[in-house]
Amino acid sequence: DAGVIQSPRHEVTEMGQEVTLRCKPISGHNSLFWYRQTMMRGLELLIYFNNNVPIDDSGMPEDRFSAKMPNASFSTLKIQPSEPRDSAVYFCASSPGENYGYTFGSGTRLTVV
Amino acid sequence: DQQVKQNSPSLSVQEGRISILNCDYTNSMFDYFLWYKKYPAEGPTFLISISSIKDKNEDGRFTVFLNKSAKHLSLHIVPSQPGDSAVYFCAVNNAGNMLTFGGGTRLMVKP
C-alpha cells in the first residue's frame, strides 16, 4: 500500500498563474479530504468528497479555488488565479469511513510569489 | 469561532519525563476524538483515538483522557523520547466523517 500520493511535493509559481494540485487516495477509501495548513489557521478543511461526490465545500476560501474528483482514484485542487496569500502546505487525506481516522499524504508546499 | 483549541503552541520536556498535551472543544455533541502527530515535511499520522463512551484509552506510552463535562481531552506520553518531538494535533469528528483539527502543539523532547 503506497498510501495517499500527492503531487507535486513543491510548487513555486507567480501570482496570477493557475496551480493544480493532485491526489491519489488509498484504494478502497471512499472519502477524500483536502486540507490547508498555515501558521495562522492550523489545519483547515477545504473540501470533503464521499464516493466522488463533493459533500461539503464550505471551507473553500474563494471562487478561485475549485476541486474535482472524476473517479475514485484521483482528485485535483485548482487555484486560478493564484495569490501570495495562498502560500501554504496543502494536504490530501482519505478514509475508509466514519471513525476510522484519516491517512494523509505528504502534502504539497505551495509558494506563490 | 474555533471549535477545537490547543492553547499551548509549544511544550518542552526532558527525556524520560511525562508530556501532557491539552485540547479543549466547544460542542458537547462531539463523540469521537483523535490525536495526530506530524513531523516536518510529512503529513499528519494517526496516533490514538477515543470514543465519548470512554474516559481513557491507552496504547503503549500514549494515553488519551477525555473529560466530557469539561469538554477537555489530553494526551499523555510517558516516558517521553526525543523521537516524540513533533507537532501534535487533536481532532474531533464533526458531522459524519469530517474531522476538525486544533491548531497544534509543538512538542520538543530534550535528551
Side-chain angles (χ1 to χ4, degrees), chain A residues 9 31 33 35 37 42-43 45 48 56 91 95 97-99 101-102 104-106, chain B residues 31-32 34 36 38 41-44 46 89 93 96-103:
Chain A
R9 287 299 306 271
S31 297
F33 308 84
Y35 279 83
Q37 184 188 15
L43 271 171
L45 176 66
Y48 157 39
D56 189 325
F91 288 103
S95 169
E98 191 170 339
N99 289 352
Y102 298 175
F104 282 84
S106 297
Chain B
D31 61 1
Y32 192 65
L34 308 91
Y36 280 77
K38 184 185 180 305
E42 295 182 12
F46 171 73
F89 292 95
N93 188 303
N97 196 16
M98 293 195 298
L99 295 183
T100 297
F101 288 83

PDB file of all heavy atoms in Angstrom, chain A residues 9 31 33 35 37 42-43 45 48 56 91 95 97-99 101-102 104-106, chain B residues 31-32 34 36 38 41-44 46 89 93 96-103:
ATOM      1  N   ARG A   9       5.390  17.729  -4.831  1.00  0.00           N
ATOM      2  CA  ARG A   9       5.734  17.953  -3.430  1.00  0.00           C
ATOM      3  C   ARG A   9       5.942  19.433  -3.148  1.00  0.00           C
ATOM      4  O   ARG A   9       5.631  19.915  -2.060  1.00  0.00           O
ATOM      5  CB  ARG A   9       7.012  17.182  -3.056  1.00  0.00           C
ATOM      6  CG  ARG A   9       6.831  15.685  -2.924  1.00  0.00           C
ATOM      7  CD  ARG A   9       5.841  15.313  -1.830  1.00  0.00           C
ATOM      8  NE  ARG A   9       6.153  15.901  -0.542  1.00  0.00           N
ATOM      9  CZ  ARG A   9       6.937  15.352   0.380  1.00  0.00           C
ATOM     10  NH1 ARG A   9       7.516  14.200   0.150  1.00  0.00           N
ATOM     11  NH2 ARG A   9       7.150  15.948   1.541  1.00  0.00           N
ATOM     12  N   SER A  31     -13.770   8.149   1.098  1.00  0.00           N
ATOM     13  CA  SER A  31     -13.824   9.576   1.455  1.00  0.00           C
ATOM     14  C   SER A  31     -12.477  10.223   1.176  1.00  0.00           C
ATOM     15  O   SER A  31     -11.431   9.627   1.448  1.00  0.00           O
ATOM     16  CB  SER A  31     -14.164   9.755   2.942  1.00  0.00           C
ATOM     17  OG  SER A  31     -15.441   9.244   3.225  1.00  0.00           O
ATOM     18  N   PHE A  33     -10.379  14.126   1.389  1.00  0.00           N
ATOM     19  CA  PHE A  33     -10.415  15.453   2.005  1.00  0.00           C
ATOM     20  C   PHE A  33      -9.224  16.262   1.503  1.00  0.00           C
ATOM     21  O   PHE A  33      -8.119  15.731   1.352  1.00  0.00           O
ATOM     22  CB  PHE A  33     -10.312  15.340   3.530  1.00  0.00           C
ATOM     23  CG  PHE A  33     -11.303  14.385   4.130  1.00  0.00           C
ATOM     24  CD1 PHE A  33     -11.028  13.026   4.179  1.00  0.00           C
ATOM     25  CD2 PHE A  33     -12.492  14.841   4.652  1.00  0.00           C
ATOM     26  CE1 PHE A  33     -11.932  12.129   4.728  1.00  0.00           C
ATOM     27  CE2 PHE A  33     -13.402  13.969   5.215  1.00  0.00           C
ATOM     28  CZ  PHE A  33     -13.126  12.606   5.242  1.00  0.00           C
ATOM     29  N   TYR A  35      -7.049  19.543   2.841  1.00  0.00           N
ATOM     30  CA  TYR A  35      -6.794  20.446   3.959  1.00  0.00           C
ATOM     31  C   TYR A  35      -5.687  21.411   3.570  1.00  0.00           C
ATOM     32  O   TYR A  35      -4.848  21.120   2.719  1.00  0.00           O
ATOM     33  CB  TYR A  35      -6.329  19.681   5.204  1.00  0.00           C
ATOM     34  CG  TYR A  35      -7.435  19.045   6.017  1.00  0.00           C
ATOM     35  CD1 TYR A  35      -7.947  17.811   5.657  1.00  0.00           C
ATOM     36  CD2 TYR A  35      -7.948  19.668   7.147  1.00  0.00           C
ATOM     37  CE1 TYR A  35      -8.965  17.220   6.416  1.00  0.00           C
ATOM     38  CE2 TYR A  35      -8.958  19.086   7.902  1.00  0.00           C
ATOM     39  CZ  TYR A  35      -9.449  17.860   7.520  1.00  0.00           C
ATOM     40  OH  TYR A  35     -10.449  17.277   8.269  1.00  0.00           O
ATOM     41  N   GLN A  37      -2.710  23.840   5.515  1.00  0.00           N
ATOM     42  CA  GLN A  37      -2.049  24.160   6.792  1.00  0.00           C
ATOM     43  C   GLN A  37      -1.302  25.476   6.670  1.00  0.00           C
ATOM     44  O   GLN A  37      -0.450  25.649   5.788  1.00  0.00           O
ATOM     45  CB  GLN A  37      -1.063  23.064   7.197  1.00  0.00           C
ATOM     46  CG  GLN A  37      -0.438  23.333   8.568  1.00  0.00           C
ATOM     47  CD  GLN A  37       0.674  22.378   8.915  1.00  0.00           C
ATOM     48  OE1 GLN A  37       1.205  21.663   8.075  1.00  0.00           O
ATOM     49  NE2 GLN A  37       1.035  22.346  10.187  1.00  0.00           N
ATOM     50  N   GLY A  42      -3.675  26.886  11.303  1.00  0.00           N
ATOM     51  CA  GLY A  42      -3.513  25.454  11.525  1.00  0.00           C
ATOM     52  C   GLY A  42      -4.001  24.646  10.339  1.00  0.00           C
ATOM     53  O   GLY A  42      -3.844  25.054   9.197  1.00  0.00           O
ATOM     54  N   LEU A  43      -4.617  23.500  10.614  1.00  0.00           N
ATOM     55  CA  LEU A  43      -5.139  22.619   9.570  1.00  0.00           C
ATOM     56  C   LEU A  43      -6.614  22.941   9.354  1.00  0.00           C
ATOM     57  O   LEU A  43      -7.443  22.692  10.233  1.00  0.00           O
ATOM     58  CB  LEU A  43      -5.021  21.160  10.000  1.00  0.00           C
ATOM     59  CG  LEU A  43      -3.750  20.398   9.670  1.00  0.00           C
ATOM     60  CD1 LEU A  43      -3.761  19.057  10.379  1.00  0.00           C
ATOM     61  CD2 LEU A  43      -3.591  20.198   8.177  1.00  0.00           C
ATOM     62  N   LEU A  45     -10.050  22.427   6.913  1.00  0.00           N
ATOM     63  CA  LEU A  45     -10.670  21.614   5.880  1.00  0.00           C
ATOM     64  C   LEU A  45     -11.174  22.511   4.753  1.00  0.00           C
ATOM     65  O   LEU A  45     -11.878  23.480   4.987  1.00  0.00           O
ATOM     66  CB  LEU A  45     -11.841  20.828   6.462  1.00  0.00           C
ATOM     67  CG  LEU A  45     -12.656  19.990   5.482  1.00  0.00           C
ATOM     68  CD1 LEU A  45     -11.819  18.857   4.912  1.00  0.00           C
ATOM     69  CD2 LEU A  45     -13.903  19.437   6.166  1.00  0.00           C
ATOM     70  N   TYR A  48     -14.599  18.136   1.146  1.00  0.00           N
ATOM     71  CA  TYR A  48     -14.744  16.727   1.504  1.00  0.00           C
ATOM     72  C   TYR A  48     -15.580  16.049   0.424  1.00  0.00           C
ATOM     73  O   TYR A  48     -16.672  16.519   0.102  1.00  0.00           O
ATOM     74  CB  TYR A  48     -15.399  16.664   2.883  1.00  0.00           C
ATOM     75  CG  TYR A  48     -16.130  15.400   3.274  1.00  0.00           C
ATOM     76  CD1 TYR A  48     -15.649  14.139   2.947  1.00  0.00           C
ATOM     77  CD2 TYR A  48     -17.296  15.479   4.028  1.00  0.00           C
ATOM     78  CE1 TYR A  48     -16.319  13.003   3.346  1.00  0.00           C
ATOM     79  CE2 TYR A  48     -17.975  14.344   4.431  1.00  0.00           C
ATOM     80  CZ  TYR A  48     -17.485  13.111   4.094  1.00  0.00           C
ATOM     81  OH  TYR A  48     -18.145  11.982   4.500  1.00  0.00           O
ATOM     82  N   ASP A  56     -19.100  18.630   1.275  1.00  0.00           N
ATOM     83  CA  ASP A  56     -19.007  19.898   1.999  1.00  0.00           C
ATOM     84  C   ASP A  56     -17.840  20.686   1.438  1.00  0.00           C
ATOM     85  O   ASP A  56     -16.704  20.251   1.550  1.00  0.00           O
ATOM     86  CB  ASP A  56     -18.814  19.638   3.497  1.00  0.00           C
ATOM     87  CG  ASP A  56     -18.930  20.900   4.337  1.00  0.00           C
ATOM     88  OD1 ASP A  56     -18.508  21.978   3.877  1.00  0.00           O
ATOM     89  OD2 ASP A  56     -19.445  20.805   5.469  1.00  0.00           O
ATOM     90  N   PHE A  91      -2.721  19.502   2.078  1.00  0.00           N
ATOM     91  CA  PHE A  91      -2.739  18.062   2.314  1.00  0.00           C
ATOM     92  C   PHE A  91      -4.000  17.441   1.752  1.00  0.00           C
ATOM     93  O   PHE A  91      -5.091  18.017   1.835  1.00  0.00           O
ATOM     94  CB  PHE A  91      -2.687  17.761   3.819  1.00  0.00           C
ATOM     95  CG  PHE A  91      -1.372  18.035   4.466  1.00  0.00           C
ATOM     96  CD1 PHE A  91      -1.184  19.177   5.239  1.00  0.00           C
ATOM     97  CD2 PHE A  91      -0.313  17.153   4.318  1.00  0.00           C
ATOM     98  CE1 PHE A  91       0.030  19.441   5.835  1.00  0.00           C
ATOM     99  CE2 PHE A  91       0.909  17.406   4.914  1.00  0.00           C
ATOM    100  CZ  PHE A  91       1.085  18.547   5.683  1.00  0.00           C
ATOM    101  N   SER A  95     -10.081   8.263   3.724  1.00  0.00           N
ATOM    102  CA  SER A  95     -10.595   7.498   4.855  1.00  0.00           C
ATOM    103  C   SER A  95     -11.550   6.423   4.350  1.00  0.00           C
ATOM    104  O   SER A  95     -12.305   6.661   3.403  1.00  0.00           O
ATOM    105  CB  SER A  95     -11.322   8.437   5.823  1.00  0.00           C
ATOM    106  OG  SER A  95     -12.035   7.720   6.790  1.00  0.00           O
ATOM    107  N   GLY A  97     -14.044   5.323   6.071  1.00  0.00           N
ATOM    108  CA  GLY A  97     -15.368   5.555   6.611  1.00  0.00           C
ATOM    109  C   GLY A  97     -15.312   6.256   7.945  1.00  0.00           C
ATOM    110  O   GLY A  97     -14.232   6.553   8.469  1.00  0.00           O
ATOM    111  N   GLU A  98     -16.475   6.489   8.490  1.00  0.00           N
ATOM    112  CA  GLU A  98     -16.575   7.257   9.725  1.00  0.00           C
ATOM    113  C   GLU A  98     -15.879   6.555  10.878  1.00  0.00           C
ATOM    114  O   GLU A  98     -15.965   5.339  11.024  1.00  0.00           O
ATOM    115  CB  GLU A  98     -18.048   7.458  10.060  1.00  0.00           C
ATOM    116  CG  GLU A  98     -18.303   8.461  11.170  1.00  0.00           C
ATOM    117  CD  GLU A  98     -19.767   8.809  11.292  1.00  0.00           C
ATOM    118  OE1 GLU A  98     -20.513   8.607  10.305  1.00  0.00           O
ATOM    119  OE2 GLU A  98     -20.169   9.282  12.353  1.00  0.00           O
ATOM    120  N   ASN A  99     -15.194   7.354  11.697  1.00  0.00           N
ATOM    121  CA  ASN A  99     -14.488   6.881  12.891  1.00  0.00           C
ATOM    122  C   ASN A  99     -13.329   5.943  12.590  1.00  0.00           C
ATOM    123  O   ASN A  99     -12.876   5.221  13.465  1.00  0.00           O
ATOM    124  CB  ASN A  99     -15.457   6.230  13.880  1.00  0.00           C
ATOM    125  CG  ASN A  99     -16.361   7.255  14.543  1.00  0.00           C
ATOM    126  OD1 ASN A  99     -16.181   8.458  14.375  1.00  0.00           O
ATOM    127  ND2 ASN A  99     -17.337   6.781  15.274  1.00  0.00           N
ATOM    128  N   GLY A 101     -10.616   7.386  11.124  1.00  0.00           N
ATOM    129  CA  GLY A 101      -9.467   8.279  11.010  1.00  0.00           C
ATOM    130  C   GLY A 101      -9.045   8.441   9.565  1.00  0.00           C
ATOM    131  O   GLY A 101      -9.579   7.792   8.658  1.00  0.00           O
ATOM    132  N   TYR A 102      -8.112   9.329   9.366  1.00  0.00           N
ATOM    133  CA  TYR A 102      -7.653   9.632   8.015  1.00  0.00           C
ATOM    134  C   TYR A 102      -6.214   9.160   7.827  1.00  0.00           C
ATOM    135  O   TYR A 102      -5.430   9.098   8.774  1.00  0.00           O
ATOM    136  CB  TYR A 102      -7.599  11.142   7.774  1.00  0.00           C
ATOM    137  CG  TYR A 102      -8.893  11.910   7.857  1.00  0.00           C
ATOM    138  CD1 TYR A 102      -8.851  13.299   7.751  1.00  0.00           C
ATOM    139  CD2 TYR A 102     -10.132  11.310   8.042  1.00  0.00           C
ATOM    140  CE1 TYR A 102     -10.001  14.056   7.806  1.00  0.00           C
ATOM    141  CE2 TYR A 102     -11.283  12.069   8.110  1.00  0.00           C
ATOM    142  CZ  TYR A 102     -11.210  13.436   8.002  1.00  0.00           C
ATOM    143  OH  TYR A 102     -12.342  14.199   8.075  1.00  0.00           O
ATOM    144  N   PHE A 104      -3.132  10.701   5.701  1.00  0.00           N
ATOM    145  CA  PHE A 104      -2.736  11.901   4.968  1.00  0.00           C
ATOM    146  C   PHE A 104      -1.614  11.604   3.981  1.00  0.00           C
ATOM    147  O   PHE A 104      -0.769  10.725   4.204  1.00  0.00           O
ATOM    148  CB  PHE A 104      -2.222  12.976   5.938  1.00  0.00           C
ATOM    149  CG  PHE A 104      -3.303  13.727   6.662  1.00  0.00           C
ATOM    150  CD1 PHE A 104      -3.875  13.204   7.813  1.00  0.00           C
ATOM    151  CD2 PHE A 104      -3.746  14.957   6.199  1.00  0.00           C
ATOM    152  CE1 PHE A 104      -4.874  13.895   8.488  1.00  0.00           C
ATOM    153  CE2 PHE A 104      -4.738  15.657   6.868  1.00  0.00           C
ATOM    154  CZ  PHE A 104      -5.306  15.125   8.011  1.00  0.00           C
ATOM    155  N   GLY A 105      -1.607  12.369   2.907  1.00  0.00           N
ATOM    156  CA  GLY A 105      -0.457  12.389   2.026  1.00  0.00           C
ATOM    157  C   GLY A 105       0.639  13.255   2.625  1.00  0.00           C
ATOM    158  O   GLY A 105       0.478  13.828   3.710  1.00  0.00           O
ATOM    159  N   SER A 106       1.757  13.338   1.921  1.00  0.00           N
ATOM    160  CA  SER A 106       2.905  14.099   2.422  1.00  0.00           C
ATOM    161  C   SER A 106       2.763  15.596   2.191  1.00  0.00           C
ATOM    162  O   SER A 106       3.584  16.371   2.665  1.00  0.00           O
ATOM    163  CB  SER A 106       4.186  13.598   1.770  1.00  0.00           C
ATOM    164  OG  SER A 106       4.414  12.254   2.110  1.00  0.00           O
TER     165      SER A 106
ATOM    166  N   ASP B  31     -18.442  13.160  19.497  1.00  0.00           N
ATOM    167  CA  ASP B  31     -18.420  11.848  20.130  1.00  0.00           C
ATOM    168  C   ASP B  31     -17.206  11.007  19.790  1.00  0.00           C
ATOM    169  O   ASP B  31     -17.109   9.855  20.204  1.00  0.00           O
ATOM    170  CB  ASP B  31     -19.700  11.070  19.789  1.00  0.00           C
ATOM    171  CG  ASP B  31     -19.855  10.840  18.298  1.00  0.00           C
ATOM    172  OD1 ASP B  31     -18.964  11.260  17.518  1.00  0.00           O
ATOM    173  OD2 ASP B  31     -20.855  10.244  17.897  1.00  0.00           O
ATOM    174  N   TYR B  32     -16.278  11.562  19.014  1.00  0.00           N
ATOM    175  CA  TYR B  32     -15.093  10.786  18.660  1.00  0.00           C
ATOM    176  C   TYR B  32     -13.938  11.751  18.520  1.00  0.00           C
ATOM    177  O   TYR B  32     -14.052  12.772  17.836  1.00  0.00           O
ATOM    178  CB  TYR B  32     -15.340  10.031  17.352  1.00  0.00           C
ATOM    179  CG  TYR B  32     -14.307   8.982  17.030  1.00  0.00           C
ATOM    180  CD1 TYR B  32     -14.152   7.860  17.838  1.00  0.00           C
ATOM    181  CD2 TYR B  32     -13.486   9.101  15.917  1.00  0.00           C
ATOM    182  CE1 TYR B  32     -13.214   6.888  17.539  1.00  0.00           C
ATOM    183  CE2 TYR B  32     -12.544   8.141  15.618  1.00  0.00           C
ATOM    184  CZ  TYR B  32     -12.413   7.039  16.428  1.00  0.00           C
ATOM    185  OH  TYR B  32     -11.487   6.073  16.145  1.00  0.00           O
ATOM    186  N   LEU B  34      -9.534  12.325  18.281  1.00  0.00           N
ATOM    187  CA  LEU B  34      -8.317  11.702  17.778  1.00  0.00           C
ATOM    188  C   LEU B  34      -7.114  12.621  18.037  1.00  0.00           C
ATOM    189  O   LEU B  34      -7.262  13.835  18.164  1.00  0.00           O
ATOM    190  CB  LEU B  34      -8.408  11.458  16.262  1.00  0.00           C
ATOM    191  CG  LEU B  34      -9.641  10.719  15.725  1.00  0.00           C
ATOM    192  CD1 LEU B  34     -10.747  11.695  15.339  1.00  0.00           C
ATOM    193  CD2 LEU B  34      -9.275   9.871  14.514  1.00  0.00           C
ATOM    194  N   TYR B  36      -3.257  13.298  16.266  1.00  0.00           N
ATOM    195  CA  TYR B  36      -2.356  13.058  15.152  1.00  0.00           C
ATOM    196  C   TYR B  36      -1.007  13.657  15.487  1.00  0.00           C
ATOM    197  O   TYR B  36      -0.907  14.666  16.194  1.00  0.00           O
ATOM    198  CB  TYR B  36      -2.896  13.717  13.871  1.00  0.00           C
ATOM    199  CG  TYR B  36      -3.968  12.922  13.172  1.00  0.00           C
ATOM    200  CD1 TYR B  36      -5.270  12.898  13.663  1.00  0.00           C
ATOM    201  CD2 TYR B  36      -3.690  12.183  12.030  1.00  0.00           C
ATOM    202  CE1 TYR B  36      -6.253  12.165  13.037  1.00  0.00           C
ATOM    203  CE2 TYR B  36      -4.672  11.454  11.385  1.00  0.00           C
ATOM    204  CZ  TYR B  36      -5.942  11.443  11.901  1.00  0.00           C
ATOM    205  OH  TYR B  36      -6.922  10.712  11.274  1.00  0.00           O
ATOM    206  N   LYS B  38       2.672  15.013  13.696  1.00  0.00           N
ATOM    207  CA  LYS B  38       3.211  15.459  12.410  1.00  0.00           C
ATOM    208  C   LYS B  38       4.674  15.825  12.540  1.00  0.00           C
ATOM    209  O   LYS B  38       5.050  16.693  13.332  1.00  0.00           O
ATOM    210  CB  LYS B  38       2.413  16.668  11.896  1.00  0.00           C
ATOM    211  CG  LYS B  38       2.874  17.119  10.503  1.00  0.00           C
ATOM    212  CD  LYS B  38       2.179  18.366  10.068  1.00  0.00           C
ATOM    213  CE  LYS B  38       2.666  18.795   8.679  1.00  0.00           C
ATOM    214  NZ  LYS B  38       4.133  18.950   8.613  1.00  0.00           N
ATOM    215  N   ALA B  41       7.818  18.168   7.004  1.00  0.00           N
ATOM    216  CA  ALA B  41       7.812  17.690   5.616  1.00  0.00           C
ATOM    217  C   ALA B  41       7.054  16.373   5.444  1.00  0.00           C
ATOM    218  O   ALA B  41       7.240  15.668   4.434  1.00  0.00           O
ATOM    219  CB  ALA B  41       9.235  17.540   5.072  1.00  0.00           C
ATOM    220  N   GLU B  42       6.231  16.024   6.412  1.00  0.00           N
ATOM    221  CA  GLU B  42       5.392  14.834   6.284  1.00  0.00           C
ATOM    222  C   GLU B  42       3.947  15.205   6.605  1.00  0.00           C
ATOM    223  O   GLU B  42       3.685  16.220   7.242  1.00  0.00           O
ATOM    224  CB  GLU B  42       5.852  13.731   7.241  1.00  0.00           C
ATOM    225  CG  GLU B  42       7.226  13.180   6.939  1.00  0.00           C
ATOM    226  CD  GLU B  42       7.595  12.057   7.902  1.00  0.00           C
ATOM    227  OE1 GLU B  42       6.711  11.577   8.634  1.00  0.00           O
ATOM    228  OE2 GLU B  42       8.766  11.659   7.896  1.00  0.00           O
ATOM    229  N   GLY B  43       3.028  14.343   6.172  1.00  0.00           N
ATOM    230  CA  GLY B  43       1.644  14.551   6.551  1.00  0.00           C
ATOM    231  C   GLY B  43       1.397  14.075   7.972  1.00  0.00           C
ATOM    232  O   GLY B  43       2.159  13.291   8.520  1.00  0.00           O
ATOM    233  N   PRO B  44       0.320  14.559   8.599  1.00  0.00           N
ATOM    234  CA  PRO B  44      -0.027  14.069   9.936  1.00  0.00           C
ATOM    235  C   PRO B  44      -0.307  12.568   9.909  1.00  0.00           C
ATOM    236  O   PRO B  44      -0.860  12.050   8.934  1.00  0.00           O
ATOM    237  CB  PRO B  44      -1.303  14.861  10.275  1.00  0.00           C
ATOM    238  CG  PRO B  44      -1.282  16.050   9.376  1.00  0.00           C
ATOM    239  CD  PRO B  44      -0.605  15.592   8.118  1.00  0.00           C
ATOM    240  N   PHE B  46      -1.980   9.277  12.192  1.00  0.00           N
ATOM    241  CA  PHE B  46      -2.875   8.945  13.295  1.00  0.00           C
ATOM    242  C   PHE B  46      -2.093   8.349  14.459  1.00  0.00           C
ATOM    243  O   PHE B  46      -1.206   7.497  14.271  1.00  0.00           O
ATOM    244  CB  PHE B  46      -3.929   7.953  12.810  1.00  0.00           C
ATOM    245  CG  PHE B  46      -4.771   7.386  13.915  1.00  0.00           C
ATOM    246  CD1 PHE B  46      -5.733   8.153  14.536  1.00  0.00           C
ATOM    247  CD2 PHE B  46      -4.581   6.077  14.333  1.00  0.00           C
ATOM    248  CE1 PHE B  46      -6.506   7.628  15.548  1.00  0.00           C
ATOM    249  CE2 PHE B  46      -5.347   5.540  15.348  1.00  0.00           C
ATOM    250  CZ  PHE B  46      -6.310   6.317  15.959  1.00  0.00           C
ATOM    251  N   PHE B  89      -1.619  17.304  16.842  1.00  0.00           N
ATOM    252  CA  PHE B  89      -2.923  17.905  16.587  1.00  0.00           C
ATOM    253  C   PHE B  89      -4.001  17.049  17.249  1.00  0.00           C
ATOM    254  O   PHE B  89      -4.018  15.829  17.075  1.00  0.00           O
ATOM    255  CB  PHE B  89      -3.227  17.963  15.090  1.00  0.00           C
ATOM    256  CG  PHE B  89      -2.365  18.908  14.304  1.00  0.00           C
ATOM    257  CD1 PHE B  89      -1.220  18.468  13.659  1.00  0.00           C
ATOM    258  CD2 PHE B  89      -2.718  20.244  14.189  1.00  0.00           C
ATOM    259  CE1 PHE B  89      -0.432  19.339  12.919  1.00  0.00           C
ATOM    260  CE2 PHE B  89      -1.938  21.127  13.453  1.00  0.00           C
ATOM    261  CZ  PHE B  89      -0.789  20.669  12.819  1.00  0.00           C
ATOM    262  N   ASN B  93     -14.432  14.426  15.518  1.00  0.00           N
ATOM    263  CA  ASN B  93     -15.287  14.044  14.406  1.00  0.00           C
ATOM    264  C   ASN B  93     -16.491  14.975  14.407  1.00  0.00           C
ATOM    265  O   ASN B  93     -17.294  14.944  15.346  1.00  0.00           O
ATOM    266  CB  ASN B  93     -15.716  12.584  14.559  1.00  0.00           C
ATOM    267  CG  ASN B  93     -16.442  12.086  13.333  1.00  0.00           C
ATOM    268  OD1 ASN B  93     -17.443  12.669  12.929  1.00  0.00           O
ATOM    269  ND2 ASN B  93     -15.945  11.042  12.739  1.00  0.00           N
ATOM    270  N   GLY B  96     -20.638  13.401  10.539  1.00  0.00           N
ATOM    271  CA  GLY B  96     -20.285  12.388   9.555  1.00  0.00           C
ATOM    272  C   GLY B  96     -18.836  12.006   9.669  1.00  0.00           C
ATOM    273  O   GLY B  96     -18.371  11.610  10.730  1.00  0.00           O
ATOM    274  N   ASN B  97     -18.111  12.164   8.608  1.00  0.00           N
ATOM    275  CA  ASN B  97     -16.728  11.718   8.558  1.00  0.00           C
ATOM    276  C   ASN B  97     -15.761  12.898   8.494  1.00  0.00           C
ATOM    277  O   ASN B  97     -14.630  12.747   8.084  1.00  0.00           O
ATOM    278  CB  ASN B  97     -16.543  10.811   7.342  1.00  0.00           C
ATOM    279  CG  ASN B  97     -15.263  10.003   7.425  1.00  0.00           C
ATOM    280  OD1 ASN B  97     -14.661   9.893   8.480  1.00  0.00           O
ATOM    281  ND2 ASN B  97     -14.850   9.446   6.311  1.00  0.00           N
ATOM    282  N   MET B  98     -16.178  14.075   8.889  1.00  0.00           N
ATOM    283  CA  MET B  98     -15.297  15.238   8.808  1.00  0.00           C
ATOM    284  C   MET B  98     -14.587  15.463  10.130  1.00  0.00           C
ATOM    285  O   MET B  98     -15.212  15.413  11.192  1.00  0.00           O
ATOM    286  CB  MET B  98     -16.102  16.490   8.435  1.00  0.00           C
ATOM    287  CG  MET B  98     -16.670  16.443   7.043  1.00  0.00           C
ATOM    288  SD  MET B  98     -17.216  18.054   6.476  1.00  0.00           S
ATOM    289  CE  MET B  98     -18.491  18.397   7.682  1.00  0.00           C
ATOM    290  N   LEU B  99     -13.295  15.693  10.053  1.00  0.00           N
ATOM    291  CA  LEU B  99     -12.508  15.996  11.240  1.00  0.00           C
ATOM    292  C   LEU B  99     -12.189  17.484  11.277  1.00  0.00           C
ATOM    293  O   LEU B  99     -11.794  18.071  10.273  1.00  0.00           O
ATOM    294  CB  LEU B  99     -11.205  15.206  11.245  1.00  0.00           C
ATOM    295  CG  LEU B  99     -11.296  13.685  11.357  1.00  0.00           C
ATOM    296  CD1 LEU B  99      -9.898  13.078  11.422  1.00  0.00           C
ATOM    297  CD2 LEU B  99     -12.110  13.277  12.568  1.00  0.00           C
ATOM    298  N   THR B 100     -12.355  18.057  12.466  1.00  0.00           N
ATOM    299  CA  THR B 100     -11.925  19.435  12.703  1.00  0.00           C
ATOM    300  C   THR B 100     -10.726  19.379  13.629  1.00  0.00           C
ATOM    301  O   THR B 100     -10.788  18.749  14.694  1.00  0.00           O
ATOM    302  CB  THR B 100     -13.042  20.260  13.346  1.00  0.00           C
ATOM    303  OG1 THR B 100     -14.149  20.325  12.449  1.00  0.00           O
ATOM    304  CG2 THR B 100     -12.564  21.674  13.638  1.00  0.00           C
ATOM    305  N   PHE B 101      -9.654  20.035  13.223  1.00  0.00           N
ATOM    306  CA  PHE B 101      -8.392  19.963  13.948  1.00  0.00           C
ATOM    307  C   PHE B 101      -8.164  21.212  14.786  1.00  0.00           C
ATOM    308  O   PHE B 101      -8.584  22.316  14.431  1.00  0.00           O
ATOM    309  CB  PHE B 101      -7.230  19.817  12.963  1.00  0.00           C
ATOM    310  CG  PHE B 101      -7.137  18.472  12.315  1.00  0.00           C
ATOM    311  CD1 PHE B 101      -7.903  18.165  11.196  1.00  0.00           C
ATOM    312  CD2 PHE B 101      -6.293  17.491  12.822  1.00  0.00           C
ATOM    313  CE1 PHE B 101      -7.832  16.925  10.597  1.00  0.00           C
ATOM    314  CE2 PHE B 101      -6.219  16.234  12.221  1.00  0.00           C
ATOM    315  CZ  PHE B 101      -6.982  15.954  11.110  1.00  0.00           C
ATOM    316  N   GLY B 102      -7.434  21.006  15.882  1.00  0.00           N
ATOM    317  CA  GLY B 102      -6.924  22.130  16.635  1.00  0.00           C
ATOM    318  C   GLY B 102      -5.710  22.714  15.933  1.00  0.00           C
ATOM    319  O   GLY B 102      -5.267  22.213  14.898  1.00  0.00           O
ATOM    320  N   GLY B 103      -5.165  23.783  16.498  1.00  0.00           N
ATOM    321  CA  GLY B 103      -4.058  24.478  15.865  1.00  0.00           C
ATOM    322  C   GLY B 103      -2.709  23.800  16.024  1.00  0.00           C
ATOM    323  O   GLY B 103      -1.745  24.195  15.370  1.00  0.00           O
TER     324      GLY B 103
END
